[in-house]
Amino acid sequence: MATEKKIDVLWDTDIGRDPDDFLAGCFLLSRPEIRLRAITIAPGDRDQVALAKFLLRENGHNDIPVGTVPDRKKGKKSVGGCHLRLMDWYKAEPLADADGAGWEILANALRAYPDAILFTSGPLNNVGDLLRKTDVAV
C-alpha cells in the first residue's frame, strides 16, 4: 500500500449546539492522512472553546491551537444538548479560554503550512478578519 501524502487542515467552525461540527472534528482527527493544524471558532464563547479542547484532548492533540473571534462578549452559552451530557460524562471542564484571536491563529498556521486546506463548517468571521487584517494568502 502506498503511503498517502499528509494533508494539513485548518478548521473554522461554530461547534456547539448541533452534532454536525463535533462529528466533523471526529472525522478530521480520525483520518491518518489529515493533520489538523488549527481550529478557529465563531463566535467563540468559552463553552465552545471547552468543547473543542475536549475533542482535541480526547484524541491526543493538546498541541493544536484554538482561536476565536476577538472582542466578543463571551457570556452567552453556545453549547447544549448531547455535547453537555458528553462533557459531563467525561468530567470535562465546561469553560476554557482560547489560545488567541482566530484570525491570528489562522495567519500563523497559513505561514507555517502554506499548502494547508481551510475547512469551514460555520460562519466565516475569523476568515473575514484574516482577510481584512493581513496579507496572508488564503
Side-chain angles (χ1 to χ4, degrees):
M1 181 164 138
T3 303
E4 295 184 41
K5 182 180 189 254
K6 299 284 187 179
I7 303 166
D8 294 317
V9 174
L10 314 177
W11 180 31
D12 187 60
T13 180
D14 64 348
I15 194 168
R17 293 224 180 263
D18 303 320
D20 59 334
D21 293 285
F22 189 84
L23 293 174
C26 291
F27 174 79
L28 291 170
L29 291 166
S30 72
R31 302 301 309 164
E33 70 274 15
I34 293 175
R35 291 183 298 210
L36 188 59
R37 299 298 190 174
I39 298 176
T40 54
I41 304 170
D45 293 308
R46 293 183 70 222
D47 56 347
Q48 287 177 290
V49 174
L51 181 59
K53 288 189 173 192
F54 164 73
L55 179 62
L56 291 172
R57 183 177 55 256
E58 289 301 313
N59 284 280
H61 293 282
N62 292 327
D63 57 336
I64 296 172
V66 177
T68 61
V69 178
D71 304 323
R72 175 168 156 67
K73 303 269 188 254
K74 305 272 196 258
K76 178 182 155 212
K77 293 199 180 257
S78 296
V79 174
C82 61
H83 300 107
L84 289 178
R85 288 191 296 278
L86 182 66
M87 291 176 70
D88 185 54
W89 176 266
Y90 281 88
K91 298 185 180 6
E93 290 296 323
L95 301 173
D97 292 321
D99 300 312
W103 69 269
E104 290 176 317
I105 299 274
L106 287 174
N108 291 337
L110 285 166
R111 286 183 188 107
Y113 311 102
D115 293 329
I117 293 172
L118 178 61
F119 175 73
T120 63
S121 61
L124 301 176
N125 302 77
N126 290 300
V127 176
D129 285 345
L130 171 74
L131 295 173
R132 278 190 297 280
K133 296 179 180 195
T134 73
D135 59 356
V136 174
V138 179

